[in-house]
Structures are given as structure tokens and as C-alpha cells.
Amino acid sequence: MWRGGRLGRGAALGLLLAVHGVAAFEPISVGIAIGAASALTGYLSYTDLYCRFAECCREEQRLNASALKLELEEKLFGQHLATEVILKALTGFKNNKNPKKPLTLSLHGWAGTGKNFVSQIVAENLHSKGLKSNFVHLFVSTLHFPHEQQIKLYQDQLQGWIRGNVSACASSVFIFDEMDKLHPGVIDAIKPFLDYYEEVDGVSYRKAIFIFLSNAGGDLITKIALDFWRAGRKREDIQLKDLEPVLSVGVFNNKHSGLWHSGLIDRNLIDYFIPFLPLEYRHVKMCVRAEMRARGSAIDEDIVTRVAEEMTFFPKSEKIYSDKGCKTVQSRLDFH
């Protein structure tokens, strides 16, 4: 006896896979295939069926704030400010059906403190394929914008790339890594897209998210963290107001920040400057345990201690903070 539900789904998949052979999913062929598949199944909409087999831009999809909060708390160590600010910023932005501008976050701190890791978590919580999503775009300064003589070309290319991708998906995410290595002026090309405009040349950018990652300001963050430590205060007592004003001014005046004298700061278009604090010995041990769990290994505290003690710490007198954060934990664990 013919079993409509099961055979219908199989037929739908067969039709879509057949269409997959058409170069670049030619729209008319896809439409015919999905129409036929919908007729066979009898209960799936065009969009629902298509999105089962191809990634779709779900502009109105709500953020699972509880899942994001849990992931940040369980996987990001020693960064109470980043966890709090990123959660509030993303939740508020995604819950706002009519934002006035894109959400723009600038993450600062030394290497190995979790900036790239957080951008990966954010990407995965906004688009299921994370950094592999067609709607998440990663720019690396030394790779995509290497030559100082070609700033004008990079500006034009950047504008065209962002315009095209936001036109395809309004909730696109753009991540700029190594901002401290970006030639001054390049990033100002996207200033019109970050401003308070309904549209720019017929395109609305208000639901997009821009994330900047930078080592610039790491010295300022460390100084304040060290002042708290020397005063006998907990690092958890550090508040955003203790760091954000210093960070924004410091980055604005730093010729090697990628945001030197940038209109993005001058026009207050960066919503949050988010400091990543230097990591202590105990945080490095947390990173080692997390890496062991990720590898499916039993937690061996002797190995955890040995790996942590192999790291170098600063300042020389107190040796409080890991100079590479948790960046080399994976490679060091390979030797044990």
C-alpha cells in the first residue's frame, strides 16, 4: 500500500537533489521542483520545504537568549563583562522589530582572551551554520586588505560586498578580524551603512550586525585590571563604565587600531566597546579542562596543572596574567 507521508518526503528530496545538478540552483528549476514536491507532500509550504534543503535567511527568527547565555557562561572563561554586554546587546537588538541602525560591537583585548571564540558563538546563535553560513562574512585585515597603496580599491570592494550581501539577507553578520592591522581609513567606507538611515541607495542595513575584533586597547584594559588587583579588588568588580570611555578614546587616538580618527567613533556609531580582560592562571586551567572535554578525554588534573604552568605570565614581578591567554593551550596539550 502506498504510504503518502514517507514516499512524499522521499520524492521531495529526490526532486530537490535532481535540481541540485542545475548550476547555481537555477531559480525556475528550483521553483518547479519545489512546487512538485509540495504537491506530493501536501502539507509543506514552498519556503518550509526549500529551507529544509538549503540555508535560508530567517530575518524574523528570534534569538534563543537562554541558549546563548548558557553557552557564554559555560565556554567563555574570565570574561564577565563580555558575557554580560554581548548577551544584553544581542537580545535587545534581536527583540527590536524596528532597529534604528545596525548593531555594531567592537571587541578589544590581548590575543587568546576569547574575542574570536565569542564571534564564533555569536555567529552560531544567529545563523545555524555559524562561520560557514552564507550570511556570516569574515574579513581578515592581513588577508583581505594587505596593501596600503590600495585603500581606495578596498573601500569600493567593501561597500559593494556589504551592499550585495545585505540585499540578499538583511540580518547578515560581518566580522572584521585583526582590526589593529587594518590600514587607517579602510573601515570608514562602511560608515554610511552603520548610521541612522532608513535606507542607503534603496538598501536597509538596520538589521545587520557588525563585529570588530582588535588587540588594540589591550594595554589599557590590562592596566585597569592590574590596578584593581593591586588594590585588593576582585576582577568581577570591574564594570563597563570603568573601561569603555578609556577604550574608545584610546582606540580613536591609536594609529594602529584600524579606527584611528575614524568617523565610526566620532559619530558614535559603535554601540559597545567590549573589553576582554587578561586571563589569570585559574582561567588557563579552565581552558585546558574545556579542551580535554572537547577531545573526549578524561580530565587529568596533573596534566591540567602542567600545561598551565608551561605558560608564561606577566608582569614579571607578580606574574598574574597569561601573556598568550589560552591561545596555545591546544598545541601544548598535544605534548601530554
Side-chain angles (χ1 to χ4, degrees):
M1 181 177 177
W2 181 59
R3 301 172 71 175
R6 183 175 300 174
L7 185 58
R9 285 191 292 272
L13 177 58
L15 280 168
L16 283 176
L17 290 178
V19 173
H20 190 68
V22 179
F25 262 24
E26 195 276 311
I28 296 176
S29 299
V30 172
I32 293 171
I34 294 178
S38 297
L40 282 171
T41 58
Y43 63 89
L44 287 176
S45 71
Y46 180 103
T47 302
D48 288 338
L49 184 58
Y50 178 83
C51 294
R52 286 194 173 197
F53 305 105
E55 186 184 17
C56 289
C57 176
R58 305 265 191 185
E59 295 178 13
E60 303 304 324
Q61 183 173 325
R62 295 178 67 86
L63 174 72
N64 187 336
S66 298
L68 176 60
K69 181 175 184 291
L70 183 64
E71 193 166 7
L72 288 172
E73 290 177 346
E74 290 186 349
K75 297 181 179 179
L76 183 65
F77 307 122
Q79 304 298 353
H80 68 285
L81 288 175
T83 296
E84 178 185 350
V85 177
I86 288 169
L87 182 62
K88 286 184 177 179
L90 283 174
T91 302
F93 182 73
K94 294 298 289 185
N95 286 343
N96 185 352
K97 294 184 178 180
N98 188 31
K100 301 300 181 185
K101 65 178 292 296
L103 176 64
T104 308
L105 308 175
S106 195
L107 281 50
H108 297 266
W110 292 130
T113 52
K115 302 184 301 296
N116 288 84
F117 186 52
V118 161
S119 67
Q120 178 182 328
I121 290 175
V122 168
E124 290 170 352
N125 278 268
L126 293 172
H127 296 283
S128 59
K129 291 189 176 182
L131 295 178
K132 295 181 180 179
S133 170
N134 292 326
F135 313 122
V136 176
H137 311 281
L138 173 64
F139 298 95
V140 181
S141 296
T142 51
L143 176 63
H144 296 103
F145 316 108
H147 305 297
E148 189 173 8
Q149 303 88 341
Q150 297 184 9
I151 289 178
K152 181 63 171 67
L153 173 64
Y154 297 149
Q155 289 176 328
D156 293 342
Q157 289 176 337
L158 194 52
Q159 285 187 344
W161 181 256
I162 291 176
R163 183 184 300 112
N165 282 287
V166 173
S167 298
C169 178
S171 58
S172 290
V173 178
F174 301 92
I175 302 170
F176 292 82
D177 194 11
E178 299 183 346
M179 279 291 294
D180 47 299
K181 297 179 177 65
L182 185 65
H183 300 297
V186 172
I187 203 64
D188 278 359
I190 70 172
K191 178 179 170 291
F193 305 151
L194 305 188
D195 217 325
Y196 292 83
Y197 297 124
E198 286 279 336
E199 292 183 349
V200 178
D201 293 333
V203 179
S204 174
Y205 297 87
R206 294 180 301 158
K207 292 187 177 181
I209 295 177
F210 294 80
I211 303 174
F212 305 137
L213 312 179
S214 179
N215 289 351
D219 54 340
L220 302 173
I221 296 168
T222 298
K223 181 183 182 305
I224 290 176
L226 196 55
D227 287 345
F228 268 71
W229 185 86
R230 287 171 174 164
R233 301 175 66 184
K234 296 179 181 178
R235 68 188 279 128
E236 290 77 16
D237 291 338
I238 302 174
Q239 299 180 40
L240 188 63
K241 66 181 182 180
D242 297 318
L243 281 162
E244 193 173 32
V246 176
L247 202 51
S248 62
V249 172
V251 170
F252 183 78
N253 291 319
N254 184 347
K255 289 186 177 181
H256 304 290
S257 69
L259 291 167
W260 179 61
H261 289 185
S262 172
L264 275 61
I265 298 179
D266 203 36
R267 284 274 298 157
N268 296 312
L269 298 180
I270 296 177
D271 298 297
Y272 296 97
F273 288 87
I274 303 176
F276 279 67
L277 303 176
L279 298 182
E280 300 173 10
Y281 177 79
R282 59 192 170 109
H283 302 126
V284 174
K285 294 182 78 171
M286 291 178 185
C287 291
V288 179
R289 294 188 192 103
E291 179 60 23
M292 294 177 82
R293 280 192 293 269
R295 297 183 181 193
S297 305
I299 305 299
D300 186 326
E301 289 298 331
D302 288 337
I303 293 178
V304 170
T305 299
R306 287 205 298 272
V307 172
E309 288 180 349
E310 287 174 2
M311 309 291 276
T312 53
F313 293 81
F314 71 96
K316 287 184 178 180
S317 53
E318 293 103 334
K319 294 185 178 180
I320 307 165
Y321 304 121
S322 169
D323 63 355
K324 293 185 178 67
C326 286
K327 200 174 187 69
T328 60
V329 161
Q330 290 185 353
S331 59
R332 289 180 182 274
L333 193 55
D334 291 337
F335 287 95
H336 294 276

